[in-house]
């Protein structure tokens, strides 16, 4: 999708609305595109299951489902491409990633509170460790994103984050994924 080719004028013409109406709702092209991307692409969820491994596994499966859609692939590659040329599009990409990392940050903060992760665990680093391989497989290497890969990925991320055994039982975070 060629996002840089989208204009307020083209949107107004296609919708049959006046440009002033479009500008009233979206003062800039970037504002319009933020809403388009947010509406078109759902945010993967990381529900509070009581265990960080389960939270992150759910998130990874949900994101894998979203990543497999043609719309996601098209929009993401379009936004990344445009962000290299236009500062406004770079901001769109940055805002897009911040909003989509929040569920992981929430899971990590809950895990810290439960003692599953050390208080020094960095939610942004954990998000990067989880998201990077998923996007790489989908957009670069075109390797499969299957259940086995997702389980191994979550195990590796939690091992790198120094996850401790789950409190209240002998099962470790790693055993939850097996």
């Amino acid at each position: 999708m060629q996002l840089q080719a989208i204009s307020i004028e083209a949107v107004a013409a296609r919708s049959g609305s006046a440009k002033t109406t479009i500008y009233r709702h979206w003062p800039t092209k970037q504002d319009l595109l933020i809403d388009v991307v947010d509406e078109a692409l759902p945010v993967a969820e990381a529900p509070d299951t009581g265990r960080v491994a389960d939270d992150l596994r759910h998130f990874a499966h949900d994101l894998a489902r979203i990543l497999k859609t043609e719309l996601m692939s098209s929009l993401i590659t379009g936004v990344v491409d445009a962000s290299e040329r236009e500062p406004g599009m770079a901001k769109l990409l940055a805002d897009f990633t911040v909003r989509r990392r929040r569920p992981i940050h929430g899971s990590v903060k809950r895990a810290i509170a439960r003692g599953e992760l050390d208080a020094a665990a960095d939610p942004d680093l954990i998000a990067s460790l989880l998201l990077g391989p998923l996007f790489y497989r989908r957009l670069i290497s075109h390797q499969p994103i299957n259940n086995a890969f997702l389980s191994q990925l979550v195990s590796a991320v939690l091992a790198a984050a120094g996850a401790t055994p789950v409190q209240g039982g002998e099962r470790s975070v790693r055993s939850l994924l097996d």
Side-chain angles (χ1 to χ4, degrees):
M1 175 174 282
Q2 298 294 326
L3 294 179
Q4 62 268 28
I6 295 174
S7 67
I8 296 288
E9 292 77 12
V11 170
R14 184 167 178 150
S15 69
S17 300
K19 285 192 302 185
T20 54
T21 301
I22 304 299
Y23 277 114
R24 193 173 319 122
H25 293 285
W26 300 282
T28 68
K29 173 179 151 178
Q30 287 73 32
D31 292 324
L32 172 66
L33 290 175
I34 287 169
D35 281 355
V36 166
V37 170
D38 278 345
E39 184 69 27
L41 300 175
V43 176
E45 296 179 7
D48 185 0
T49 65
R51 296 176 190 234
V52 68
D54 291 341
D55 292 359
L56 295 183
R57 184 175 45 210
H58 186 283
F59 178 88
H61 280 273
D62 200 26
L63 180 58
R65 176 189 57 78
I66 295 166
L67 283 174
K68 290 177 184 177
T69 66
E70 187 60 36
L71 179 61
M72 175 64 155
S73 177
S74 177
L75 277 175
I76 289 298
T77 56
V79 170
V80 169
D81 179 57
S83 72
E84 292 297 314
R85 293 181 231 336
E86 299 177 41
M89 294 303 291
K91 182 180 179 339
L92 170 68
L93 182 58
D95 291 346
F96 175 85
T97 61
V98 164
R99 287 188 303 280
R100 278 152 177 79
R101 294 165 87 88
R102 284 185 189 139
I104 298 171
H105 288 202
S107 287
V108 170
K109 289 174 184 174
R110 291 189 303 266
I112 290 169
R114 289 190 299 261
E116 290 180 275
L117 292 172
D118 186 88
D122 180 351
D124 204 48
L125 177 60
I126 292 169
S128 294
L129 292 171
L130 184 61
L131 295 170
L134 289 167
F135 279 87
Y136 179 83
R137 279 192 173 224
R138 175 60 178 105
L139 300 173
I140 307 297
S141 73
H142 301 284
Q143 292 175 285
I145 302 174
N146 54 33
N147 289 339
F149 170 73
L150 293 172
S151 290
Q152 290 173 339
L153 177 60
V154 171
S155 291
V157 167
L158 290 173
T164 60
V166 176
Q167 295 182 346
E170 283 97 44
R171 294 181 353 168
S172 68
V173 169
R174 183 174 189 85
S175 72
L176 293 172
L177 298 173
D178 297 330

